[in-house]
Amino acid sequence: MTTDTQGWLSISTEGFASMNAARPPEHLIKELVQNSLDSFADEQSGRIRLSYFFAKGKVQVVCEDNGSGIDNLGDLRVVYLTNKTDSHLKRGRFGRGFKEALCIADQASVVSGSQRLEFLQENGERVCRQSRRLLPFGGTKVKMSMPWAAEVCDQLDDYFKRFLVPYRIDLEVNGSVIAARPIAHEITASLTTEIYDTTTQSWKKPSRKTTVQLVHAGPDETPTIYEMGIPVAPVEWTMGFHCDVQQRVPMNPNRDAVQSGYPLKLHTACLPTLLDSMQPETIKEDWVGTAGRKCEEAVQRKIIDQAFGTNIARSVPKMGERQFDEDARELGVVIVNTAQTSGGFREMLKAYVPSAMQVVRQDEDEKTTQAYSSGFNLSEVMDPGDRRAQAIHQRGGKEHVATCLSFAVWFCQRLVDSCPTQQPQVRGKVAQSNPMNRMTWKRFSAHWSSDNILTLALEEECFWKDPLGAESLEILIHEAAHAMNMHHGYDFRKEVERLAGVAANLMLHKGPEIKRLFPALQITASIAH
């Protein structure tokens, strides 16, 4: 039995064709392949054969599968009608895909089961002819003759070789098998999808939990967002992975661009998995900062640590003569200028990284507390069993330590006496800078208090082995400069330079006095050298 019907579609074919004329050929032919993919149930194995070639001035296309077939071929003539229940787990969009390709074709035919539907042009008119087959076809076979130039076949080659084929599906394109690619990572995420609501006759974009498969991109491939194996749009990152989303991807009506903001959602979902394999320079890229600010706190902290390191501080502007950035660098801290980072990184740095001022203040507070609480006068140590006595013994004994400390006080007193303003008398004591019961405190070589108490650390060997050496004098000059300025900065550095000159003059002209006052130090210095 054969039935002829005027026209190919239930609406104007010419009007529908004008809507799709700008779509690339590969996007129209992919509609046939995705319909074949959707014809297989979950986990069902199947076969798809796609072929295309140029003949008689047209590109001839054949797509066949052994899927579930089509119940009523007559439904193919009705746009927005489908024999499938709409689902966000299907690639096709509610009865549009085949019709979009058909409206561009010169002629076509569809065979499924015992049915054949032909779209012909006879005597200048479009005719649809439906008939029955004696031998049923297991699946669906579509043929189309498209008014395209021969070079379109090359475009189709480039496009279909990029498909990410499900493992259970055998896809053959012009006789070549498109092999399934290994999945590098699988990530669970809640992402926006789209589904047609038949009640309201509108598209909805709910969020659904899904799996994102990361697949290595080839050397000549642009990392791409895939919709269940079909390339959709660039993923907009610098990682060498494709993102294959295992549900519908929200797209524009032409389905050649994703919904605004969707790549960012993918970046955010995938970033925690990718971080361990990323280099610091890659982590500093803008897309990471933008995605990172939407991640959990643990991920944000990891981003900061891997991109900038763990010993960092935020740069702060110069405050008067105080330059906290320079002070922090002297502590070995790396300064990060947030003005040179993207907005996402600025937010994360501000949330989790202290400023240079905070780092310096904390260091000063810790060292000041330590110097005051652990510092002591030598006269306080009477019991040989005292832990402090053991430390003094290791540095040459109480008498030797007292002599070295006396020289340090005498030397610093001469330096501060050269200051333009009157300074209080310098006093001295010693300290264990890293007591065993206070391991979290920071070590210090020497400390200068606001009331001119010089505290020398027993752990700093230069004071006791070579008190007249360059290393010892350098530290003492630095500490004496704090008598004029407790904070590091321009004025402090100028004071250090001035006191270095004073110290050189002092050692040159006061040499005999030093020998007379501290004769034991000459022996120590000669032994050290």
Side-chain angles (χ1 to χ4, degrees):
M1 178 180 176
T2 301
T3 303
D4 287 1
T5 306
Q6 293 295 114
W8 286 3
L9 299 175
S10 58
I11 63 172
S12 167
T13 304
E14 290 75 14
F16 201 48
S18 66
M19 293 170 56
N20 292 279
R23 294 190 69 188
E26 59 269 26
H27 284 192
L28 292 170
I29 302 305
K30 77 99 182 282
E31 302 284 358
L32 306 182
V33 179
Q34 74 177 16
N35 284 344
S36 291
L37 288 168
D38 284 344
S39 71
F40 300 104
D42 291 344
E43 305 304 322
Q44 178 186 353
S45 297
R47 182 191 72 249
I48 301 172
R49 299 288 183 268
L50 174 68
S51 62
Y52 43 83
F53 53 92
F54 188 73
K56 299 179 181 180
K58 312 287 182 183
V59 174
Q60 311 298 324
V61 180
V62 181
C63 183
E64 61 177 286
D65 63 67
N66 62 348
S68 59
I70 301 174
D71 293 336
N72 185 2
L73 288 185
D75 291 345
L76 293 179
R77 300 187 61 249
V78 183
V79 181
Y80 304 116
L81 177 66
T82 180
N83 66 326
K84 299 176 291 187
T85 301
D86 194 42
S87 168
H88 68 291
L89 301 179
K90 296 294 184 180
R91 300 163 184 81
R93 262 42 170 206
F94 204 69
R96 286 182 54 185
F98 169 79
K99 289 91 171 179
E100 291 172 341
L102 175 65
C103 69
I104 304 296
D106 287 335
Q107 62 181 28
S109 67
V110 183
V111 174
S112 185
S114 299
Q115 308 170 78
R116 178 193 299 274
L117 189 62
E118 298 176 278
F119 299 88
L120 308 170
Q121 295 194 45
E122 296 181 346
N123 301 320
E125 294 186 356
R126 294 178 184 269
V127 176
C128 186
R129 180 172 295 152
Q130 188 166 1
S131 59
R132 298 191 64 80
R133 291 169 45 90
L134 293 178
L135 295 176
F137 184 86
T140 303
K141 183 174 184 177
V142 178
K143 293 183 178 181
M144 287 187 176
S145 179
M146 311 300 287
W148 296 328
E151 53 266 26
V152 166
C153 292
D154 293 332
Q155 293 177 229
L156 297 178
D157 287 341
D158 292 339
Y159 181 73
F160 284 105
K161 72 180 182 182
R162 296 166 51 204
F163 267 48
L164 301 181
V165 184
Y167 282 110
R168 66 185 187 276
I169 301 299
D170 176 18
L171 174 61
E172 185 179 292
V173 178
N174 277 355
S176 298
V177 175
I178 307 299
R181 304 194 200 182
I183 299 169
H185 303 283
E186 284 195 323
I187 298 163
T188 300
S190 182
L191 295 170
T192 307
T193 185
E194 58 184 20
I195 190 168
Y196 191 77
D197 187 335
T198 55
T199 303
T200 61
Q201 296 186 338
S202 61
W203 286 96
K204 304 296 184 182
K205 297 188 184 297
S207 289
R208 294 286 186 270
K209 189 176 181 180
T210 189
T211 299
V212 179
Q213 297 175 347
L214 297 186
V215 177
H216 286 286
D220 59 343
E221 293 180 335
T222 299
T224 298
I225 299 172
Y226 282 73
E227 179 185 81
M228 292 174 277
I230 296 177
V232 174
V235 73
E236 299 176 9
W237 64 15
T238 53
M239 302 302 295
F241 290 101
H242 299 306
C243 286
D244 191 7
V245 183
Q246 300 304 300
Q247 67 178 13
R248 278 183 185 162
V249 174
M251 290 183 268
N252 64 359
N254 284 337
R255 300 198 295 288
D256 57 6
V258 297
Q259 182 185 46
S260 176
Y262 190 80
L264 173 57
K265 293 180 180 179
L266 278 177
H267 299 168
T268 304
C270 298
L271 190 53
T273 298
L274 294 172
L275 267 178
D276 287 337
S277 63
M278 296 171 69
Q279 297 299 314
E281 289 309 310
T282 303
I283 299 176
K284 290 178 183 178
E285 293 174 349
D286 288 351
W287 72 268
V288 178
T290 303
R293 63 183 175 184
K294 295 183 176 295
C295 292
E296 296 180 351
E297 177 180 335
V299 177
Q300 293 182 347
R301 289 184 180 275
K302 189 173 183 179
I303 290 171
I304 295 300
D305 289 350
Q306 292 188 204
F308 303 99
T310 56
N311 188 26
I312 62 174
R314 290 181 288 113
S315 176
V316 294
K318 180 180 178 182
M319 299 180 182
E321 296 300 332
R322 189 72 192 269
Q323 294 179 321
F324 286 103
D325 285 3
E326 292 188 14
D327 291 354
R329 288 190 184 98
E330 288 186 8
L331 300 175
V333 177
V334 176
I335 302 300
V336 179
N337 187 348
T338 56
Q340 297 176 356
T341 62
S342 65
F345 284 112
R346 280 196 294 272
E347 290 182 19
M348 290 187 286
L349 288 165
K350 185 176 181 180
Y352 305 118
V353 176
S355 69
M357 181 173 70
Q358 290 172 319
V359 168
V360 171
R361 294 296 193 201
Q362 180 180 0
D363 181 78
E364 289 174 345
D365 290 345
E366 289 177 356
K367 288 179 177 177
T368 298
T369 300
Q370 186 176 355
Y372 271 103
S373 60
S374 63
F376 57 92
N377 295 317
L378 293 173
S379 58
E380 298 175 20
V381 181
M382 304 296 292
D383 185 358
D386 191 324
R387 175 174 50 81
R388 297 175 296 178
Q390 297 174 11
I392 293 171
H393 177 71
Q394 292 172 354
R395 292 296 174 255
K398 191 172 183 179
E399 182 177 350
H400 174 69
V401 169
T403 301
C404 294
L405 177 62
S406 296
F407 167 74
V409 171
W410 178 88
F411 181 77
C412 288
Q413 185 69 64
R414 298 304 178 276
L415 296 184
V416 299
D417 286 346
S418 71
C419 295
T421 58
Q422 184 68 30
Q423 295 295 320
Q425 182 180 357
V426 177
R427 293 173 291 161
K429 59 183 180 179
V430 294
Q432 288 183 276
S433 69
N434 199 13
M436 288 175 20
N437 62 335
R438 289 169 178 164
M439 294 297 289
T440 58
W441 283 8
K442 296 184 179 180
R443 292 181 63 115
F444 66 92
S445 299
H447 182 268
W448 189 276
S449 71
S450 57
D451 54 353
N452 284 23
I453 297 177
L454 172 67
T455 304
L456 301 184
L458 286 167
E459 290 83 356
E460 195 63 41
E461 292 188 355
C462 65
F463 294 137
W464 324 111
K465 286 188 175 181
D466 192 11
L468 301 179
E471 185 179 357
S472 298
L473 299 183
E474 175 187 356
I475 297 173
L476 295 178
I477 291 169
H478 179 101
E479 296 304 323
H482 282 306
M484 289 296 294
N485 194 326
M486 291 301 295
H487 305 303
H488 299 162
Y490 178 78
D491 284 348
F492 175 82
R493 292 195 302 274
K494 296 299 290 184
E495 184 65 11
V496 168
E497 292 174 358
R498 189 186 72 81
L499 290 182
V502 174
N505 183 69
L506 177 67
M507 299 301 288
L508 177 63
H509 295 290
K510 295 293 183 178
E513 184 176 350
I514 293 174
K515 290 180 180 181
R516 178 175 58 80
L517 294 174
F518 309 102
L521 297 189
Q522 313 305 311
I523 299 175
T524 303
S526 63
I527 294 174
H529 290 87

